Amino acid sequence: MELKTPLYETHLSIKGKMVPFAGYLMPVQYEHGILAEHKAVREQCGLFDVSHMGEIVCSGKDALLNINYLLSNDFTEMEAGSCRYSPMCNEQGGVVDDLIVYKLNDETYFIVVNASNKDKDYAWMKAHQQGNVEFKDLSGDIAQLALQGPKAEAILSRLCTELPDKYYSFKANVDVGGLKALVSRTGYTGEDGFEIYLANKDAAALWEMLMQEGQADGLLPCGLGARDTLRLEAAMPLYGHEMNDEITPLETNLKFAVKLNKTDFIGKEALLAQAVKRTRVGLKVIGRGIVREAMPVYKGDQKIGVTTSGTMSPTLNAAIAMALIDKEYKEMGTKVEVEVRGRRVEAEIVRLPFYKK
């Protein structure tokens, strides 16, 4: 049986089309439709319910030791009030999950994980903890709203005077319209915006306040459909698509978040020992057809990889996809073919991201 976020009744009241996703009933779109929601985020602003995401707190004198051992990025010099992205690897170098760490202080880290992985992630962290540390799963107590788009700052600043000014920074315990929240300048759309974490009981009130404040700015409620087209245009990898337990972060172009010069982390030895033979690329479809995930990619008669995500880009008005292919074919402009329902569709390897604001 699927769970419901604190905003479930709100979604129903504004005609959200609810679908099962990551164990929850979530809105895939509202009455304006995915294209209008996508356009709103690119040109004005959109509001997403992402309360299905997981939140775990790591605290104690050995919190940093644990964070650095569990994750491939390096958090040693991280400042309080900043956020940092990282994969979390298994012993073979595959990805258990990718997540964002928020440093509250030297002994407390707030970790945001993918909805479908939160139970697995929590168990993994607990199984590998060491020293004086405690991991606590707060997922059931915290709601998350994402306000994304060029007008996000203008809208939120009318409710909150303490906004984080840098990308991947945050402010904790701030007043947002009379409600206490953690506000971060992060997102999954390729636009400027904020993610707001607060108590479940306050989520519906904040949603209403934001929608009211943003009405004159063209703010629309947005569902999972627009979230996926936006993140794909921005070439943001999605767990279970561009990475999984058998795909390493080096293969999916996340080298910036893998610090192999760090003393140690789970998966380091395997990553050092493996030659990287495949890589993530962008594909722009030249032929007729829309490419989806898990479709074979060919160069002549040679199968060179598989697509990991694909859609029709509303912004570019073109079919796009990401694929994991043999490294020797990664050059920009290389023509390939994707097998779509038994027929070959021509595509060209292009630079990522597809869209940049």
Side-chain angles (χ1 to χ4, degrees):
M1 183 178 175
E2 279 79 21
L3 300 170
K4 297 172 182 177
T5 77
L7 290 163
Y8 178 78
E9 296 298 334
T10 300
H11 300 316
L12 292 183
S13 71
I14 53 175
K15 301 180 181 177
K17 182 181 178 182
M18 310 303 286
V19 298
F21 180 79
Y24 284 78
L25 284 172
M26 297 292 293
V28 68
Q29 66 179 75
Y30 299 88
E31 58 183 339
H32 290 96
I34 293 172
L35 291 179
E37 293 167 24
H38 181 109
K39 187 178 181 186
V41 174
R42 288 281 179 253
E43 298 177 5
Q44 285 95 28
C45 199
L47 181 60
F48 300 80
D49 175 15
V50 279
S51 303
H52 60 311
M53 299 290 280
E55 294 86 16
I56 298 167
V57 170
C58 171
S59 61
K61 292 192 180 300
D62 293 320
L64 176 60
L65 181 150
N66 280 265
I67 292 288
N68 265 335
Y69 180 62
L70 283 164
L71 307 178
S72 64
N73 212 332
D74 192 351
F75 297 84
T76 309
E77 303 298 328
M78 187 180 185
E79 295 181 0
S82 61
C83 320
R84 189 163 293 173
Y85 172 87
S86 182
M88 180 164 66
C89 294
N90 56 33
E91 289 88 348
Q92 294 74 42
V95 180
V96 177
D97 200 5
D98 67 326
L99 46 84
I100 298 178
V101 176
Y102 297 64
K103 182 175 179 178
L104 295 169
N105 55 56
D106 287 343
E107 295 187 4
T108 315
Y109 296 83
F110 180 71
I111 309 166
V112 181
V113 303
N114 282 301
S116 57
N117 289 339
K118 57 189 177 185
D119 293 338
K120 178 183 79 167
D121 290 355
Y122 182 55
W124 180 267
M125 292 173 187
K126 295 279 286 183
H128 293 89
Q129 72 180 61
Q130 51 188 310
N132 184 352
V133 72
E134 180 186 14
F135 287 93
K136 192 170 183 181
D137 184 1
L138 301 180
S139 305
D141 302 321
I142 296 176
Q144 182 187 351
L145 278 64
L147 186 70
Q148 299 284 300
K151 295 186 179 179
E153 183 171 9
I155 294 168
L156 191 55
S157 64
R158 296 197 285 268
L159 292 173
C160 178
T161 58
E162 297 180 79
L163 295 182
D165 56 354
K166 294 180 182 177
Y167 188 50
Y168 265 63
S169 70
F170 73 93
K171 289 186 180 292
N173 295 315
V174 297
D175 185 311
V176 184
L179 305 172
K180 285 295 178 188
L182 183 153
V183 180
S184 66
R185 199 159 202 147
T186 49
Y188 198 52
T189 63
E191 297 296 336
D192 187 23
F194 302 88
E195 293 181 310
I196 308 163
Y197 302 85
L198 73 170
N200 283 341
K201 64 181 178 61
D202 295 331
L206 180 59
W207 179 281
E208 294 302 328
M209 276 191 279
L210 287 168
M211 288 305 304
Q212 187 171 344
E213 285 294 336
Q215 189 173 5
D217 293 295
L219 177 64
L220 287 184
C222 298
L224 295 170
R227 183 172 164 85
D228 195 53
T229 55
L230 290 158
R231 74 94 193 167
L232 184 46
E233 286 185 347
M236 292 181 168
L238 175 62
Y239 189 88
H241 293 251
E242 283 69 48
M243 72 195 94
N244 57 35
D245 289 285
E246 296 176 353
I247 299 172
T248 76
L250 299 181
E251 291 175 316
T252 199
N253 295 3
L254 297 177
K255 187 177 180 180
F256 73 93
V258 180
K259 306 304 187 207
L260 293 170
N261 58 349
K262 211 168 56 161
T263 304
D264 196 20
F265 64 87
I266 299 172
K268 177 184 175 181
E269 194 175 320
L271 291 173
L272 284 170
Q274 296 171 21
V276 180
K277 296 180 179 179
R278 54 184 181 171
T279 190
R280 175 165 58 105
V281 299
L283 298 178
K284 185 175 181 180
V285 176
I286 300 169
R288 294 185 63 184
I290 298 176
V291 170
R292 303 294 186 187
E293 65 177 292
M295 293 181 169
V297 181
Y298 290 89
K299 181 65 177 174
D301 293 329
Q302 178 77 21
K303 183 184 175 184
I304 62 169
V306 64
T307 57
T308 54
S309 296
T311 193
M312 185 70 185
S313 162
T315 306
L316 305 175
N317 194 29
I320 59 172
M322 287 191 285
L324 201 61
I325 67 166
D326 297 341
K327 277 187 75 174
E328 61 189 281
Y329 300 100
K330 70 176 185 177
E331 293 306 315
M332 301 300 115
T334 300
K335 301 291 194 298
V336 297
E337 291 180 314
V338 183
E339 188 175 302
V340 180
R341 298 192 189 91
R343 69 181 182 89
R344 299 277 185 93
V345 174
E346 191 177 11
E348 178 182 6
I349 293 179
V350 297
R351 195 175 306 280
L352 294 175
F354 301 101
Y355 164 87
K356 196 170 185 179
K357 66 181 175 65

